[in-house]
Amino acid sequence: MTIGYFVAKICKKQAKYKMSLHNNLREIEKYNPNLVKRLSRYQFSEDAKLEFFQTHSNHTSLFYNGIALHSEINPEEEALTVLKTIPSKSANTVIILFGLGVGYFFKELYDGTKSKIVIFEPNMDILRLTMEAVDFSKELSDKRVRIANTFEELTDSITSLYSYNDTVLTTMLPSANVLYSSEIARLKEEFSQILNLLQSNLTTLFFHTFG
């Protein structure tokens, strides 16, 4: 094969990445323009090692600093296994997904539930790369989906989706426990406070509207 063939292949992949990023950011901008600005300008960390690899099941996955974000055996089966542990999948549930990875679990969560979904991906390196590599524009255009990178955005996203008496759950893949232990601990500490705030806001809104 000629050098021209490989150059054309690289250019085609780069064009695909640009299109995926454009499509994803277009949908996120509708509710989180600040995140879009950060993602558009983001430069990958020099000390971040991001490496795509093929799993045993021939799925494409990602290593981040040596940590596999999904199962090295079969990421789709892993996602389905975790999905089965979620106790409520109804439209009256808000599910906080800790960590996006390259999206296997998010896809299963979206297709396998009627719930509102808030993706919380604190790592900008992972988030930017996945936004380039995978086109989630169909899912992100759905009003029951939000994506957040900071705790402020997380709270805002939950608030925008939450309805009175909704159940709020958290879920994650095993890799999130390794990568985001401090963020998980913080959410556990603040979780009840966030729920109280949501209920308080809805009560206040009710009295302002009907009182």
Side-chain angles (χ1 to χ4, degrees):
M1 294 181 183
T2 65
I3 292 176
Y5 168 84
F6 288 108
V7 171
K9 193 172 182 180
I10 291 169
C11 289
K12 185 177 181 181
K13 184 175 285 189
Q14 288 176 337
K16 177 180 178 291
Y17 279 11
K18 286 181 181 179
M19 184 58 68
S20 294
L21 181 64
H22 170 78
N23 291 343
N24 289 328
L25 296 189
R26 180 191 64 221
E27 300 306 328
I28 297 171
E29 190 170 28
K30 294 175 183 177
Y31 59 86
N32 196 342
N34 288 331
L35 178 55
V36 169
K37 287 179 183 177
R38 296 200 308 277
L39 283 169
S40 299
R41 301 168 182 170
Y42 189 73
Q43 300 293 318
F44 290 100
S45 303
E46 292 183 3
D47 58 349
K49 291 183 179 180
L50 295 148
E51 181 184 357
F52 285 111
F53 70 97
Q54 293 300 115
T55 67
H56 293 189
S57 56
N58 206 33
H59 291 86
T60 301
S61 191
L62 184 65
F63 281 119
Y64 175 76
N65 289 346
I67 299 169
L69 301 187
H70 302 274
S71 166
E72 296 180 57
I73 307 299
N74 190 323
E76 286 188 350
E77 282 190 5
E78 176 188 50
L80 286 169
T81 298
V82 179
L83 181 65
K84 290 175 183 177
T85 68
I86 297 174
S88 176
K89 303 178 178 69
S90 72
N92 296 321
T93 303
V94 179
I95 299 175
I96 303 169
L97 171 57
F98 242 105
L100 175 60
V102 293
Y104 288 107
F105 188 27
F106 168 51
K107 287 275 193 178
E108 296 296 343
L109 200 59
Y110 180 83
D111 292 336
T113 75
K114 296 180 180 179
S115 305
K116 305 156 194 175
I117 302 168
V118 180
I119 305 163
F120 183 43
E121 178 50 75
N123 188 300
M124 281 292 283
D125 290 315
I126 294 172
L127 185 55
R128 167 68 194 225
L129 184 60
T130 299
M131 290 294 101
E132 288 182 4
V134 187
D135 191 337
F136 291 116
S137 56
K138 173 182 174 290
E139 292 82 7
L140 294 175
S141 67
D142 194 323
K143 292 183 179 180
R144 69 184 176 105
V145 176
R146 294 288 186 273
I147 190 163
N149 170 248
T150 66
F151 270 91
E152 182 180 0
E153 291 172 354
L154 175 61
T155 303
D156 289 344
S157 296
I158 298 170
T159 302
S160 70
L161 294 178
Y162 183 83
S163 297
Y164 186 72
N165 274 345
D166 274 358
T167 300
V168 182
L169 304 173
T170 61
T171 188
M172 68 197 74
L173 292 175
S175 60
N177 279 308
V178 179
L179 289 170
Y180 306 130
S181 57
S182 60
E183 289 86 352
I184 292 168
R186 178 179 172 184
L187 182 60
K188 284 180 179 178
E189 289 179 4
E190 299 181 6
F191 195 68
S192 60
Q193 183 179 345
I194 292 171
L195 290 181
N196 288 337
L197 178 63
L198 292 172
Q199 293 286 3
S200 174
N201 287 345
L202 286 172
T203 302
T204 301
L205 178 63
F206 178 87
F207 282 112
H208 275 296
T209 305
F210 300 105

